[in-house]
Amino acid sequence: SRWSPSSCSSDWPQRNTMGLTHSWLRPTELPTEAFAAAVRDVQRVLKDANIPLAGFEGHGPPVFLDDAIVFNGVAGAACEPFEIHQVEFDRRGRAEKFSFCKTEGLPYDLAVKAALVVFKHHFGEAIKVMSDESNEAWDRARETVNKIMGFGSDFKLDPKL
């Protein structure tokens, strides 16, 4: 079955995480070389952390390109895909693009958080990262990135918009 934005029903045991969402606000275009470096770092973190990942709909391989990252959880543990591109346009022509990923707290939630920690490291204040969770709920993502890359321990969520 195809992914539907209206629901993310999974076979994963449900906890009180229905609708758990992480979001980010970024400029339309992020610098090409820095984006490619962030992609390489995310790919390394996720590979070394051994987080099961799949492609957009929870099947096939995740996508790591110099100008894009796309992944989801695997099959029954998938919800909305995490997708970020070097250039993303706002539908209303605004200079910033708001994006989000609902994970329901499934195992790939750690991958989404770790990716956002890496992007915040590479782009600083150019990217705002927000979440339904507290900063403390991001400890494992910070620790994972820091253990593998040597940065990320100082990551803090931005205030919600």
Side-chain angles (χ1 to χ4, degrees):
S1 69
R2 293 190 49 88
W3 167 78
S4 166
S6 61
S7 70
C8 293
S9 67
S10 71
D11 299 331
W12 195 257
Q14 292 299 312
R15 300 175 300 268
N16 291 326
T17 54
M18 293 291 290
L20 175 60
T21 303
H22 309 300
S23 56
W24 57 99
L25 181 70
R26 42 72 61 91
T28 298
E29 186 170 0
L30 293 168
T32 304
E33 289 181 21
F35 192 92
V39 170
R40 286 189 300 274
D41 287 351
V42 169
Q43 191 171 20
R44 179 175 168 201
V45 168
L46 301 185
K47 180 181 179 213
D48 289 0
N50 201 27
I51 302 167
L53 296 175
F56 186 85
E57 293 182 355
H59 304 283
V63 176
F64 295 97
L65 303 172
D66 283 349
D67 64 349
I69 294 177
V70 182
F71 64 79
N72 203 333
V74 176
C79 191
E80 291 181 354
F82 175 81
E83 183 173 5
I84 188 165
H85 298 264
Q86 189 253 324
V87 177
E88 293 185 19
F89 293 96
D90 176 79
R91 290 182 181 196
R92 295 194 172 101
R94 292 175 284 219
E96 293 180 306
K97 171 80 166 73
F98 179 81
S99 299
F100 61 91
C101 180
K102 184 190 312 180
T103 67
E104 290 187 353
L106 295 167
Y108 82 106
D109 180 72
L110 176 60
V112 171
K113 290 176 178 176
L116 290 169
V117 169
V118 169
F119 271 86
K120 185 71 171 178
H121 170 77
H122 281 272
F123 296 104
E125 291 304 310
I127 185 169
K128 307 288 187 224
V129 178
M130 297 142 291
S131 178
D132 290 345
E133 294 183 305
S134 67
N135 266 305
E136 292 73 30
W138 285 61
D139 285 350
R140 187 167 170 219
R142 277 191 288 276
E143 292 163 5
T144 299
V145 173
N146 190 52
K147 179 181 172 190
I148 296 166
M149 300 303 302
F151 62 77
S153 61
D154 59 346
F155 171 86
K156 289 197 178 14
L157 290 167
D158 292 292
K160 285 191 172 187
L161 302 176

